[in-house]
Amino acid sequence: MGDETMAARAPAGTHDVLWPESTRWESLVAAFAVQVEAAGYGLAHTPIFEDVRVFKRGIGEDSDVVGKEMYEFEDRGGRALALRPEGTAPVVRAFIQHRPPVPWKAWYVTPAFRYERPQRGRYRQHHQLGVEVLGITDADLDVEVVSLADRFFRSLGLASFDLALNSMGDDVCRPGYLETLSAFLAEHRDELCPEHRGRLEANPLRCLDCKREECRRTTLGAPHLVDHLCEPCRLHLARVCGGLEALGVPYSFDHRLVRGFDYYTRTTFEFSSTALASAQNGIGGGGRYDRLVEMLGGPPTPGIGFGIGIERLLLACDAEGVYPVAPAALDAYVVDVAGGEWARDLTAELRAAGLRADRAFEGRSMKSQLKSADRSGARVALIIGPDEVVGGTVSMRRLRGTGDQRSLSRSEVVDAVRDTREDQS
Ligand SMILES: [Zn+2]
Ligand SMILES: [Zn+2]
């Protein structure tokens, strides 16, 4: 393969989203926007790259995301930057910088970058939808955030997914639990997987969500964080559970759910599709991060949010056979074999009237233009040939169904095309 061919390929682990699949993306993002904006969330756009410390401090240097997967680079001015590996830390950085009044409810849609081994449903550039709320400790907000994600999934037609819930405790109760857990793990060190045998002390919680058989077996008898929560954390969790039950959001407890980032406190949750293979079935998740704003240099401010991977979510939709999105068909395709002026003016007129219209170019033959009209999926063809020019009329032909044709005066065209739209719905 020559160099030029290589340069014309998307980099490994990335993918193009082209029409008509892109229609589905457009529709998905729009559906998400409508639902979260109806709940008071506003769009936040932040840069695709940040000072590398935003992620190192927030996510934790010993996490795989920061340690192994982040796209770090130095710009021409010698600044240490990183492409965003996730959506939360940048939104929190923006909050600290601009200090909007709290509660601040933001949503985002963004690419996220991780240098991972490319495989199905896992990309080096993937895309996330998410929400973040800053400034509220109330457990009812946790219920709102979790149920927003649940409702969004159901609105797409998804039914085969589970919600796992856990509490990570807080600075009061987690340290004591970590000691208990570390003591348990130290006793069973030889039974852990090779990676965790070596770096047990760095973060004992990671053994709980380790996927390797040795760690899973060994931690079966490990103490659970939920049994070691302080009273405020216990009450918070009870209120979250009660709220989810009241709103009819099914969930189950998963004491292994510790998620990969250091910033989580109290509520953590994860949605997984039961229609996808278990190694790649996470469709969204998040949690409370009451210390993240401080970790990034802001005033003590609680926060909570979730992120949803768009690629994975669409794979789950495919696996369940739901959320097919057909591109919106054209209303009309203008076929002009009389010089092109009518096509030029009529498409402009139709579009100005809010109709979807396209046309052929370069003065091709009637047969060729009609073929394009048919391929375009348009409902009607508007035909201007020599007879029509003489008579000052336009022939409207149905391209779907009956195929009947009638003659219209120029001033009737827009209304006639609009009427065919209503016939269909
Ligand atoms: Zn392990
Ligand atoms: Zn606590």
Side-chain angles (χ1 to χ4, degrees), residues 193 196 207 210 212 215:
C193 78
H196 288 119
C207 298
C210 178
R212 292 184 199 94
C215 276

Side-chain angles (χ1 to χ4, degrees), residues 4 24 74 84 91 99 114 159 237 269 360:
E4 276 155 38
R24 212 177 174 207
E74 195 181 286
R84 56 194 315 170
V91 172
R99 301 284 178 89
R114 293 186 195 174
L237 180 61
F269 56 96

Side-chain angles (χ1 to χ4, degrees), residues 21-290:
E21 174 67 4
S22 53
T23 308
R24 212 177 174 207
W25 281 59
E26 220 182 341
S27 163
L28 185 84
V29 174
F32 186 76
V34 166
Q35 290 182 40
V36 297
E37 287 180 359
Y41 294 72
L43 178 64
H45 265 311
T46 62
I48 235 162
F49 54 86
E50 296 275 351
D51 187 310
V52 72
R53 288 168 295 185
V54 168
F55 305 112
K56 286 193 171 168
R57 281 192 202 150
I59 300 170
E61 301 226 26
D62 69 319
S63 65
D64 281 355
V65 169
V66 168
K68 299 179 191 164
E69 297 166 0
M70 201 155 63
Y71 278 86
E72 287 185 58
F73 63 100
E74 195 181 286
D75 76 2
R76 288 168 195 273
R79 297 169 195 88
L81 301 170
L83 297 182
R84 56 194 315 170
E86 56 94 49
T88 300
V91 172
V92 169
R93 191 274 309 143
F95 170 81
I96 295 168
Q97 183 176 341
H98 303 284
R99 301 284 178 89
V102 295
W104 188 55
K105 293 172 129 187
W107 75 272
Y108 61 81
V109 53
T110 182
F113 305 86
R114 293 186 195 174
Y115 194 82
E116 295 184 287
R117 197 163 57 82
Q119 48 189 307
R120 187 173 153 81
R122 182 167 292 212
Y123 297 98
R124 290 182 176 167
Q125 175 176 338
H126 74 280
H127 298 79
Q128 288 189 4
L129 287 166
V131 303
E132 311 294 346
V133 187
L134 278 300
I136 302 286
T137 51
D138 194 328
D140 286 357
L141 174 64
D142 304 30
V143 175
E144 172 180 305
V145 166
V146 174
S147 63
L148 262 180
D150 179 80
R151 274 207 307 273
F152 175 60
F153 294 144
R154 291 184 197 285
S155 76
L156 303 177
L158 289 174
S160 304
F161 63 89
D162 292 331
L163 165 60
L165 187 73
N166 196 15
S167 173
M168 301 288 289
D170 61 5
D171 286 349
V172 175
C173 52
R174 191 160 46 186
Y177 168 73
L178 288 180
E179 268 179 43
T180 311
L181 178 64
S182 296
F184 172 90
L185 293 172
E187 250 174 68
H188 298 85
R189 181 183 288 271
D190 297 343
E191 298 151 45
L192 296 171
C193 78
E195 185 191 342
H196 288 119
R197 224 175 281 164
R199 50 192 284 252
L200 186 55
E201 285 71 21
N203 194 338
L205 286 174
R206 299 265 148 77
C207 298
L208 290 181
D209 70 347
C210 178
K211 299 285 182 271
R212 292 184 199 94
E213 186 51 38
E214 300 99 302
C215 276
R216 290 199 80 80
R217 200 175 43 232
T218 312
T219 53
L220 273 178
H224 297 178
L225 212 167
V226 285
D227 299 327
H228 292 75
L229 296 176
C230 63
E231 193 59 8
C233 285
R234 204 185 56 73
L235 290 173
H236 188 96
L237 180 61
R239 178 85 187 174
V240 173
C241 295
L244 292 176
E245 279 151 29
L247 295 186
V249 177
Y251 69 91
S252 59
F253 262 112
D254 182 357
H255 75 273
R256 290 185 185 276
L257 176 62
V258 295
R259 298 185 60 81
F261 303 160
D262 286 353
Y263 54 57
Y264 285 111
T265 51
R266 293 192 172 168
T267 311
T268 51
F269 56 96
E270 217 162 70
F271 290 89
S272 47
S273 166
T274 50
L276 293 176
S278 67
Q280 302 290 331
N281 66 353
I283 51 175
R288 189 164 266 291
Y289 45 82
D290 293 343

